[in-house]
Amino acid sequence: MIRERKSEKVPSSLLTTSQYDGEDVKAQLLEDQHEKCYICERKLGTDFEIEHLKSQENYSKLQQDWSNLFLACGYCNRKKSSSFDDNLCPLDTNIEDEIEQRIDFSRNKASFTTAINDAPHQNTVRMLHVFYNGKQKMRVIKEQRFFDEAKQKMNRFLEKVNTFLMEPTSANRALVADELSIEQEMLGFKYWVIRDNHLETEFKDEIVWNKH
Ligand SMILES: [Zn+2]
């Protein structure tokens, strides 16, 4: 997860109808979020749903509030439902800085940690943990497939980073830089690979997504 940015202009159907899922809302969110789920950062294709940061069940007044609407994939939207209403808002938090996001290959787990002890940080960490590692001790099939996909993608990224570290040519640098473009998936995890390998200065121009 990373910081998100939303266009300042509110889609007109939110002002003129009682719907929250007008075509103009979906189109604007697709553009603003670079066609990715704001939680897992996978490309959305045709599998996207409007996700209420604060759920409709508990916050009916925010049902049509532009700042409360995001696009999520079906997996994340259904898993979140109304269980995580007190999450960080990605519009005003540099989530990639405040939540460390890593794949722990040796333990076959995703790990999420934060130094900040308030409820929104803790809840967001708890949500990510459940999505990637499962609700029970063992992942159910969907959770396992979700995790495996994330692991594969991060494996490919790590290979490119390692190649650049061994042979820092401009061609190898470009391969890593391309993976860090805002259109790409899993930037929150990639951010911590860059930091863990002390490459944040090298790629400082690439890792500023939505920050200004
Ligand atoms: Zn998702």
Short mmCIF file of all heavy atoms in Angstrom, two decimals, residues 12-68:
data_model
loop_
_atom_site.label_atom_id
_atom_site.label_comp_id
_atom_site.label_asym_id
_atom_site.label_seq_id
_atom_site.Cartn_x
_atom_site.Cartn_y
_atom_site.Cartn_z
N SER A 12 -19.59 14.20 -11.12
CA SER A 12 -20.88 14.88 -10.98
C SER A 12 -22.00 13.96 -10.52
O SER A 12 -22.93 14.40 -9.85
CB SER A 12 -21.25 15.58 -12.29
OG SER A 12 -21.39 14.61 -13.30
N SER A 13 -21.92 12.65 -10.83
CA SER A 13 -23.01 11.77 -10.41
C SER A 13 -23.13 11.69 -8.88
O SER A 13 -24.20 11.39 -8.35
CB SER A 13 -22.85 10.37 -11.01
OG SER A 13 -21.78 9.69 -10.40
N LEU A 14 -22.04 11.98 -8.17
CA LEU A 14 -22.11 11.97 -6.71
C LEU A 14 -22.92 13.15 -6.18
O LEU A 14 -23.48 13.11 -5.09
CB LEU A 14 -20.70 12.01 -6.09
CG LEU A 14 -19.83 10.78 -6.30
CD1 LEU A 14 -18.43 11.03 -5.77
CD2 LEU A 14 -20.44 9.56 -5.63
N LEU A 15 -23.00 14.21 -7.00
CA LEU A 15 -23.70 15.41 -6.57
C LEU A 15 -25.13 15.45 -7.08
O LEU A 15 -26.00 16.08 -6.50
CB LEU A 15 -22.96 16.66 -7.09
CG LEU A 15 -21.46 16.72 -6.72
CD1 LEU A 15 -20.76 17.82 -7.50
CD2 LEU A 15 -21.29 16.92 -5.22
N THR A 16 -25.39 14.72 -8.18
CA THR A 16 -26.70 14.86 -8.83
C THR A 16 -27.57 13.61 -8.70
O THR A 16 -28.74 13.64 -9.06
CB THR A 16 -26.53 15.17 -10.33
OG1 THR A 16 -25.73 14.13 -10.91
CG2 THR A 16 -25.84 16.50 -10.55
N THR A 17 -27.02 12.51 -8.23
CA THR A 17 -27.80 11.28 -8.07
C THR A 17 -27.60 10.73 -6.66
O THR A 17 -26.80 11.28 -5.89
CB THR A 17 -27.37 10.18 -9.07
OG1 THR A 17 -26.12 9.65 -8.64
CG2 THR A 17 -27.25 10.72 -10.48
N SER A 18 -28.29 9.66 -6.33
CA SER A 18 -28.08 9.05 -5.01
C SER A 18 -27.16 7.82 -5.13
O SER A 18 -27.04 7.03 -4.20
CB SER A 18 -29.42 8.66 -4.39
OG SER A 18 -30.12 7.81 -5.27
N GLN A 19 -26.52 7.67 -6.30
CA GLN A 19 -25.61 6.53 -6.51
C GLN A 19 -24.19 6.91 -6.11
O GLN A 19 -23.80 8.06 -6.25
CB GLN A 19 -25.58 6.16 -8.00
CG GLN A 19 -26.94 5.87 -8.62
CD GLN A 19 -27.51 4.58 -8.06
OE1 GLN A 19 -26.83 3.57 -8.02
NE2 GLN A 19 -28.76 4.62 -7.61
N TYR A 20 -23.43 5.91 -5.65
CA TYR A 20 -22.00 6.13 -5.42
C TYR A 20 -21.15 5.46 -6.50
O TYR A 20 -19.94 5.64 -6.54
CB TYR A 20 -21.58 5.63 -4.03
CG TYR A 20 -21.73 4.14 -3.85
CD1 TYR A 20 -20.79 3.25 -4.36
CD2 TYR A 20 -22.83 3.62 -3.16
CE1 TYR A 20 -20.94 1.89 -4.20
CE2 TYR A 20 -22.98 2.25 -3.00
CZ TYR A 20 -22.04 1.39 -3.52
OH TYR A 20 -22.20 0.05 -3.37
N ASP A 21 -21.82 4.66 -7.35
CA ASP A 21 -21.04 3.86 -8.29
C ASP A 21 -21.32 4.21 -9.75
O ASP A 21 -21.37 3.34 -10.61
CB ASP A 21 -21.28 2.36 -8.04
CG ASP A 21 -22.76 1.98 -8.14
OD1 ASP A 21 -23.60 2.90 -8.29
OD2 ASP A 21 -23.06 0.78 -8.08
N GLY A 22 -21.49 5.49 -10.00
CA GLY A 22 -21.70 5.94 -11.38
C GLY A 22 -20.48 5.66 -12.24
O GLY A 22 -19.37 5.48 -11.73
N GLU A 23 -20.70 5.64 -13.55
CA GLU A 23 -19.59 5.38 -14.47
C GLU A 23 -18.49 6.43 -14.34
O GLU A 23 -17.31 6.14 -14.48
CB GLU A 23 -20.11 5.34 -15.92
CG GLU A 23 -20.98 4.13 -16.24
CD GLU A 23 -20.22 2.82 -16.16
OE1 GLU A 23 -19.36 2.57 -17.03
OE2 GLU A 23 -20.48 2.06 -15.22
N ASP A 24 -18.90 7.69 -14.09
CA ASP A 24 -17.88 8.74 -13.96
C ASP A 24 -17.02 8.54 -12.71
O ASP A 24 -15.83 8.85 -12.71
CB ASP A 24 -18.53 10.14 -13.98
CG ASP A 24 -19.59 10.32 -12.89
OD1 ASP A 24 -20.07 9.31 -12.32
OD2 ASP A 24 -19.95 11.49 -12.62
N VAL A 25 -17.62 7.98 -11.66
CA VAL A 25 -16.85 7.70 -10.43
C VAL A 25 -15.81 6.61 -10.72
O VAL A 25 -14.63 6.75 -10.39
CB VAL A 25 -17.80 7.26 -9.29
CG1 VAL A 25 -17.00 6.88 -8.05
CG2 VAL A 25 -18.80 8.36 -8.98
N LYS A 26 -16.27 5.54 -11.36
CA LYS A 26 -15.34 4.44 -11.67
C LYS A 26 -14.21 4.91 -12.58
O LYS A 26 -13.04 4.59 -12.36
CB LYS A 26 -16.09 3.29 -12.35
CG LYS A 26 -17.08 2.59 -11.43
CD LYS A 26 -17.86 1.54 -12.19
CE LYS A 26 -19.06 1.06 -11.39
NZ LYS A 26 -20.08 0.44 -12.23
N ALA A 27 -14.58 5.70 -13.61
CA ALA A 27 -13.55 6.16 -14.56
C ALA A 27 -12.52 7.03 -13.86
O ALA A 27 -11.31 6.88 -14.08
CB ALA A 27 -14.21 6.92 -15.71
N GLN A 28 -12.98 7.92 -13.00
CA GLN A 28 -12.04 8.82 -12.31
C GLN A 28 -11.14 8.05 -11.35
O GLN A 28 -9.94 8.31 -11.27
CB GLN A 28 -12.81 9.92 -11.57
CG GLN A 28 -11.92 11.03 -11.04
CD GLN A 28 -11.18 11.75 -12.17
OE1 GLN A 28 -11.79 12.26 -13.09
NE2 GLN A 28 -9.85 11.74 -12.12
N LEU A 29 -11.73 7.09 -10.63
CA LEU A 29 -10.92 6.31 -9.69
C LEU A 29 -9.91 5.44 -10.43
O LEU A 29 -8.77 5.28 -9.98
CB LEU A 29 -11.82 5.44 -8.80
CG LEU A 29 -12.62 6.20 -7.72
CD1 LEU A 29 -13.58 5.24 -7.01
CD2 LEU A 29 -11.69 6.86 -6.70
N LEU A 30 -10.30 4.88 -11.57
CA LEU A 30 -9.35 4.09 -12.36
C LEU A 30 -8.15 4.95 -12.75
O LEU A 30 -7.00 4.52 -12.64
CB LEU A 30 -10.03 3.53 -13.63
CG LEU A 30 -10.83 2.24 -13.46
CD1 LEU A 30 -11.65 1.96 -14.72
CD2 LEU A 30 -9.92 1.05 -13.15
N GLU A 31 -8.45 6.17 -13.18
CA GLU A 31 -7.36 7.07 -13.58
C GLU A 31 -6.50 7.46 -12.37
O GLU A 31 -5.28 7.35 -12.40
CB GLU A 31 -7.96 8.31 -14.24
CG GLU A 31 -6.92 9.22 -14.85
CD GLU A 31 -7.53 10.53 -15.36
OE1 GLU A 31 -8.68 10.51 -15.87
OE2 GLU A 31 -6.85 11.56 -15.22
N ASP A 32 -7.17 7.88 -11.29
CA ASP A 32 -6.43 8.36 -10.11
C ASP A 32 -5.56 7.26 -9.51
O ASP A 32 -4.46 7.52 -9.02
CB ASP A 32 -7.40 8.84 -9.02
CG ASP A 32 -8.12 10.13 -9.42
OD1 ASP A 32 -7.73 10.75 -10.43
OD2 ASP A 32 -9.08 10.50 -8.72
N GLN A 33 -6.05 6.03 -9.52
CA GLN A 33 -5.32 4.94 -8.87
C GLN A 33 -4.47 4.13 -9.87
O GLN A 33 -3.98 3.06 -9.54
CB GLN A 33 -6.31 3.99 -8.17
CG GLN A 33 -7.00 4.62 -6.98
CD GLN A 33 -7.99 3.69 -6.28
OE1 GLN A 33 -8.95 4.16 -5.69
NE2 GLN A 33 -7.77 2.37 -6.35
N HIS A 34 -4.33 4.68 -11.09
CA HIS A 34 -3.53 4.01 -12.11
C HIS A 34 -3.97 2.55 -12.30
O HIS A 34 -3.14 1.65 -12.45
CB HIS A 34 -2.04 4.10 -11.77
CG HIS A 34 -1.58 5.52 -11.62
ND1 HIS A 34 -1.16 6.28 -12.69
CD2 HIS A 34 -1.56 6.34 -10.55
CE1 HIS A 34 -0.87 7.50 -12.27
NE2 HIS A 34 -1.10 7.57 -10.97
N GLU A 35 -5.29 2.37 -12.26
CA GLU A 35 -5.92 1.07 -12.52
C GLU A 35 -5.46 -0.03 -11.58
O GLU A 35 -5.41 -1.20 -11.94
CB GLU A 35 -5.70 0.67 -14.00
CG GLU A 35 -6.13 1.78 -14.94
CD GLU A 35 -6.39 1.32 -16.37
OE1 GLU A 35 -6.21 0.14 -16.65
OE2 GLU A 35 -6.80 2.17 -17.17
N LYS A 36 -5.14 0.38 -10.33
CA LYS A 36 -4.73 -0.63 -9.36
C LYS A 36 -5.65 -0.61 -8.15
O LYS A 36 -6.19 0.42 -7.77
CB LYS A 36 -3.30 -0.33 -8.87
CG LYS A 36 -2.23 -0.54 -9.91
CD LYS A 36 -0.84 -0.31 -9.33
CE LYS A 36 -0.55 1.15 -9.09
NZ LYS A 36 0.82 1.38 -8.59
N CYS A 37 -5.77 -1.76 -7.51
CA CYS A 37 -6.46 -1.86 -6.22
C CYS A 37 -5.64 -1.05 -5.21
O CYS A 37 -4.43 -1.20 -5.12
CB CYS A 37 -6.52 -3.33 -5.79
SG CYS A 37 -7.07 -3.59 -4.09
N TYR A 38 -6.29 -0.20 -4.42
CA TYR A 38 -5.51 0.66 -3.51
C TYR A 38 -4.95 -0.12 -2.33
O TYR A 38 -4.04 0.35 -1.66
CB TYR A 38 -6.35 1.85 -3.03
CG TYR A 38 -7.28 1.60 -1.86
CD1 TYR A 38 -6.94 2.02 -0.58
CD2 TYR A 38 -8.50 0.95 -2.04
CE1 TYR A 38 -7.79 1.80 0.50
CE2 TYR A 38 -9.35 0.73 -0.96
CZ TYR A 38 -8.98 1.15 0.31
OH TYR A 38 -9.82 0.93 1.37
N ILE A 39 -5.47 -1.31 -2.09
CA ILE A 39 -4.96 -2.09 -0.96
C ILE A 39 -3.82 -3.01 -1.39
O ILE A 39 -2.71 -2.91 -0.89
CB ILE A 39 -6.09 -2.90 -0.30
CG1 ILE A 39 -7.16 -1.93 0.25
CG2 ILE A 39 -5.53 -3.78 0.83
CD1 ILE A 39 -8.39 -2.61 0.82
N CYS A 40 -4.08 -3.89 -2.36
CA CYS A 40 -3.03 -4.86 -2.73
C CYS A 40 -2.19 -4.40 -3.91
O CYS A 40 -1.21 -5.04 -4.24
CB CYS A 40 -3.64 -6.23 -3.03
SG CYS A 40 -4.60 -6.30 -4.56
N GLU A 41 -2.60 -3.28 -4.54
CA GLU A 41 -1.85 -2.71 -5.67
C GLU A 41 -1.70 -3.67 -6.85
O GLU A 41 -0.72 -3.62 -7.58
CB GLU A 41 -0.44 -2.25 -5.24
CG GLU A 41 -0.42 -1.06 -4.31
CD GLU A 41 1.00 -0.54 -4.18
OE1 GLU A 41 1.48 0.09 -5.13
OE2 GLU A 41 1.63 -0.80 -3.14
N ARG A 42 -2.67 -4.58 -7.02
CA ARG A 42 -2.67 -5.39 -8.25
C ARG A 42 -3.44 -4.63 -9.31
O ARG A 42 -4.37 -3.88 -9.01
CB ARG A 42 -3.35 -6.74 -8.00
CG ARG A 42 -2.55 -7.66 -7.11
CD ARG A 42 -3.19 -9.02 -7.02
NE ARG A 42 -4.52 -8.98 -6.43
CZ ARG A 42 -5.33 -10.03 -6.35
NH1 ARG A 42 -4.96 -11.20 -6.85
NH2 ARG A 42 -6.52 -9.92 -5.77
N LYS A 43 -3.10 -4.85 -10.58
CA LYS A 43 -3.84 -4.23 -11.68
C LYS A 43 -5.27 -4.76 -11.67
O LYS A 43 -5.50 -5.95 -11.42
CB LYS A 43 -3.16 -4.56 -13.01
CG LYS A 43 -1.93 -3.71 -13.27
CD LYS A 43 -2.33 -2.30 -13.72
CE LYS A 43 -1.08 -1.45 -14.01
NZ LYS A 43 -1.44 -0.04 -14.30
N LEU A 44 -6.22 -3.90 -11.97
CA LEU A 44 -7.61 -4.28 -11.76
C LEU A 44 -8.28 -4.98 -12.94
O LEU A 44 -9.19 -5.76 -12.75
CB LEU A 44 -8.42 -3.03 -11.38
CG LEU A 44 -8.17 -2.57 -9.94
CD1 LEU A 44 -8.69 -1.17 -9.72
CD2 LEU A 44 -8.80 -3.54 -8.95
N GLY A 45 -7.85 -4.74 -14.16
CA GLY A 45 -8.55 -5.38 -15.26
C GLY A 45 -10.04 -5.12 -15.16
O GLY A 45 -10.47 -3.97 -14.99
N THR A 46 -10.85 -6.17 -15.23
CA THR A 46 -12.30 -5.99 -15.11
C THR A 46 -12.80 -6.34 -13.71
O THR A 46 -13.98 -6.23 -13.42
CB THR A 46 -13.05 -6.87 -16.13
OG1 THR A 46 -12.60 -8.22 -15.95
CG2 THR A 46 -12.79 -6.43 -17.54
N ASP A 47 -11.90 -6.78 -12.84
CA ASP A 47 -12.31 -7.16 -11.48
C ASP A 47 -12.11 -5.99 -10.53
O ASP A 47 -11.10 -5.89 -9.85
CB ASP A 47 -11.49 -8.37 -11.02
CG ASP A 47 -11.70 -8.67 -9.53
OD1 ASP A 47 -12.82 -8.48 -9.04
OD2 ASP A 47 -10.72 -9.08 -8.86
N PHE A 48 -13.05 -5.04 -10.54
CA PHE A 48 -12.93 -3.94 -9.57
C PHE A 48 -14.29 -3.57 -9.00
O PHE A 48 -15.32 -3.74 -9.63
CB PHE A 48 -12.24 -2.72 -10.19
CG PHE A 48 -12.92 -2.18 -11.42
CD1 PHE A 48 -14.00 -1.31 -11.31
CD2 PHE A 48 -12.46 -2.51 -12.68
CE1 PHE A 48 -14.61 -0.79 -12.44
CE2 PHE A 48 -13.07 -2.01 -13.81
CZ PHE A 48 -14.15 -1.15 -13.69
N GLU A 49 -14.23 -3.11 -7.77
CA GLU A 49 -15.44 -2.72 -7.06
C GLU A 49 -15.15 -1.43 -6.32
O GLU A 49 -14.01 -1.16 -5.95
CB GLU A 49 -15.83 -3.83 -6.05
CG GLU A 49 -16.14 -5.15 -6.74
CD GLU A 49 -16.24 -6.35 -5.80
OE1 GLU A 49 -16.21 -6.14 -4.57
OE2 GLU A 49 -16.34 -7.47 -6.31
N ILE A 50 -16.20 -0.64 -6.12
CA ILE A 50 -16.00 0.57 -5.33
C ILE A 50 -15.97 0.18 -3.87
O ILE A 50 -16.83 -0.56 -3.38
CB ILE A 50 -17.09 1.61 -5.64
CG1 ILE A 50 -16.83 2.12 -7.07
CG2 ILE A 50 -17.05 2.75 -4.63
CD1 ILE A 50 -17.60 3.32 -7.47
N GLU A 51 -14.95 0.63 -3.20
CA GLU A 51 -14.69 0.26 -1.82
C GLU A 51 -14.86 1.51 -0.96
O GLU A 51 -14.34 2.57 -1.29
CB GLU A 51 -13.26 -0.27 -1.72
CG GLU A 51 -12.99 -1.33 -0.68
CD GLU A 51 -12.92 -0.77 0.71
OE1 GLU A 51 -12.21 0.22 0.94
OE2 GLU A 51 -13.61 -1.32 1.58
N HIS A 52 -15.62 1.35 0.12
CA HIS A 52 -15.79 2.48 1.05
C HIS A 52 -14.75 2.36 2.16
O HIS A 52 -14.76 1.37 2.89
CB HIS A 52 -17.20 2.46 1.64
CG HIS A 52 -18.27 2.78 0.64
ND1 HIS A 52 -18.78 1.86 -0.24
CD2 HIS A 52 -18.92 3.95 0.38
CE1 HIS A 52 -19.69 2.44 -1.01
NE2 HIS A 52 -19.81 3.71 -0.66
N LEU A 53 -13.87 3.34 2.25
CA LEU A 53 -12.83 3.31 3.29
C LEU A 53 -13.49 3.11 4.65
O LEU A 53 -13.08 2.26 5.44
CB LEU A 53 -12.03 4.62 3.26
CG LEU A 53 -10.88 4.73 4.25
CD1 LEU A 53 -9.77 3.75 3.91
CD2 LEU A 53 -10.33 6.15 4.29
N LYS A 54 -14.51 3.89 4.92
CA LYS A 54 -15.37 3.63 6.10
C LYS A 54 -16.64 3.00 5.56
O LYS A 54 -17.32 3.58 4.70
CB LYS A 54 -15.63 4.91 6.87
CG LYS A 54 -14.37 5.44 7.56
CD LYS A 54 -14.69 6.51 8.57
CE LYS A 54 -13.47 7.11 9.23
NZ LYS A 54 -12.69 6.19 10.07
N SER A 55 -16.97 1.82 6.05
CA SER A 55 -17.98 0.98 5.40
C SER A 55 -19.37 1.62 5.38
O SER A 55 -19.73 2.42 6.25
CB SER A 55 -18.06 -0.37 6.12
OG SER A 55 -18.61 -0.19 7.41
N GLN A 56 -20.14 1.22 4.37
CA GLN A 56 -21.52 1.70 4.25
C GLN A 56 -22.36 1.27 5.45
O GLN A 56 -23.25 2.00 5.89
CB GLN A 56 -22.17 1.11 3.00
CG GLN A 56 -21.43 1.40 1.72
CD GLN A 56 -22.19 0.86 0.54
OE1 GLN A 56 -23.23 1.38 0.17
NE2 GLN A 56 -21.67 -0.20 -0.06
N GLU A 57 -22.07 0.07 5.96
CA GLU A 57 -22.84 -0.45 7.09
C GLU A 57 -22.76 0.48 8.30
O GLU A 57 -23.76 0.77 8.94
CB GLU A 57 -22.32 -1.84 7.51
CG GLU A 57 -22.60 -2.96 6.52
CD GLU A 57 -21.51 -3.08 5.45
OE1 GLU A 57 -20.90 -2.05 5.07
OE2 GLU A 57 -21.28 -4.21 5.00
N ASN A 58 -21.55 0.94 8.58
CA ASN A 58 -21.36 1.72 9.81
C ASN A 58 -21.31 3.22 9.59
O ASN A 58 -21.41 4.00 10.54
CB ASN A 58 -20.09 1.26 10.52
CG ASN A 58 -20.16 -0.20 10.92
OD1 ASN A 58 -21.24 -0.71 11.23
ND2 ASN A 58 -19.04 -0.90 10.88
N TYR A 59 -21.10 3.63 8.34
CA TYR A 59 -20.99 5.07 8.05
C TYR A 59 -21.84 5.41 6.83
O TYR A 59 -21.31 5.78 5.78
CB TYR A 59 -19.53 5.45 7.79
CG TYR A 59 -18.64 5.31 9.00
CD1 TYR A 59 -18.03 4.09 9.30
CD2 TYR A 59 -18.41 6.39 9.85
CE1 TYR A 59 -17.22 3.94 10.42
CE2 TYR A 59 -17.59 6.26 10.97
CZ TYR A 59 -17.01 5.04 11.24
OH TYR A 59 -16.19 4.90 12.35
N SER A 60 -23.15 5.28 6.98
CA SER A 60 -24.02 5.49 5.82
C SER A 60 -23.93 6.92 5.29
O SER A 60 -24.12 7.17 4.10
CB SER A 60 -25.46 5.13 6.16
OG SER A 60 -25.89 5.88 7.27
N LYS A 61 -23.60 7.87 6.14
CA LYS A 61 -23.49 9.26 5.69
C LYS A 61 -22.32 9.47 4.72
O LYS A 61 -22.29 10.44 3.96
CB LYS A 61 -23.30 10.20 6.89
CG LYS A 61 -24.58 10.43 7.68
CD LYS A 61 -24.51 11.75 8.45
CE LYS A 61 -25.80 12.02 9.18
NZ LYS A 61 -25.67 11.83 10.64
N LEU A 62 -21.35 8.57 4.78
CA LEU A 62 -20.17 8.73 3.91
C LEU A 62 -20.28 7.91 2.63
O LEU A 62 -19.33 7.82 1.87
CB LEU A 62 -18.91 8.31 4.67
CG LEU A 62 -18.55 9.15 5.89
CD1 LEU A 62 -17.30 8.58 6.58
CD2 LEU A 62 -18.30 10.60 5.50
N GLN A 63 -21.49 7.36 2.40
CA GLN A 63 -21.66 6.46 1.26
C GLN A 63 -21.31 7.14 -0.07
O GLN A 63 -20.80 6.51 -0.98
CB GLN A 63 -23.11 5.99 1.24
CG GLN A 63 -23.32 4.78 0.39
CD GLN A 63 -24.79 4.38 0.36
OE1 GLN A 63 -25.67 5.23 0.27
NE2 GLN A 63 -25.04 3.09 0.44
N GLN A 64 -21.60 8.43 -0.18
CA GLN A 64 -21.34 9.16 -1.42
C GLN A 64 -20.24 10.19 -1.28
O GLN A 64 -20.09 11.08 -2.11
CB GLN A 64 -22.62 9.87 -1.86
CG GLN A 64 -23.57 9.00 -2.65
CD GLN A 64 -24.59 9.88 -3.35
OE1 GLN A 64 -25.36 10.56 -2.69
NE2 GLN A 64 -24.58 9.88 -4.67
N ASP A 65 -19.49 10.07 -0.21
CA ASP A 65 -18.41 11.04 0.04
C ASP A 65 -17.20 10.68 -0.82
O ASP A 65 -16.60 9.61 -0.66
CB ASP A 65 -18.07 10.99 1.53
CG ASP A 65 -17.09 12.08 1.94
OD1 ASP A 65 -16.15 12.36 1.16
OD2 ASP A 65 -17.26 12.63 3.02
N TRP A 66 -16.84 11.59 -1.71
CA TRP A 66 -15.77 11.32 -2.68
C TRP A 66 -14.49 10.86 -1.98
O TRP A 66 -13.81 9.95 -2.43
CB TRP A 66 -15.55 12.58 -3.53
CG TRP A 66 -14.45 12.55 -4.54
CD1 TRP A 66 -13.51 13.53 -4.74
CD2 TRP A 66 -14.17 11.55 -5.55
NE1 TRP A 66 -12.67 13.19 -5.78
CE2 TRP A 66 -13.06 11.98 -6.29
CE3 TRP A 66 -14.76 10.33 -5.87
CZ2 TRP A 66 -12.51 11.25 -7.34
CZ3 TRP A 66 -14.21 9.58 -6.93
CH2 TRP A 66 -13.10 10.04 -7.64
N SER A 67 -14.13 11.48 -0.85
CA SER A 67 -12.88 11.12 -0.19
C SER A 67 -12.97 9.74 0.49
O SER A 67 -11.95 9.20 0.92
CB SER A 67 -12.47 12.18 0.84
OG SER A 67 -13.45 12.24 1.86
N ASN A 68 -14.16 9.19 0.56
CA ASN A 68 -14.32 7.86 1.18
C ASN A 68 -14.35 6.73 0.15
O ASN A 68 -14.43 5.56 0.51
CB ASN A 68 -15.62 7.85 2.00
CG ASN A 68 -15.71 6.66 2.95
OD1 ASN A 68 -14.73 6.33 3.62
ND2 ASN A 68 -16.87 6.02 2.98
#
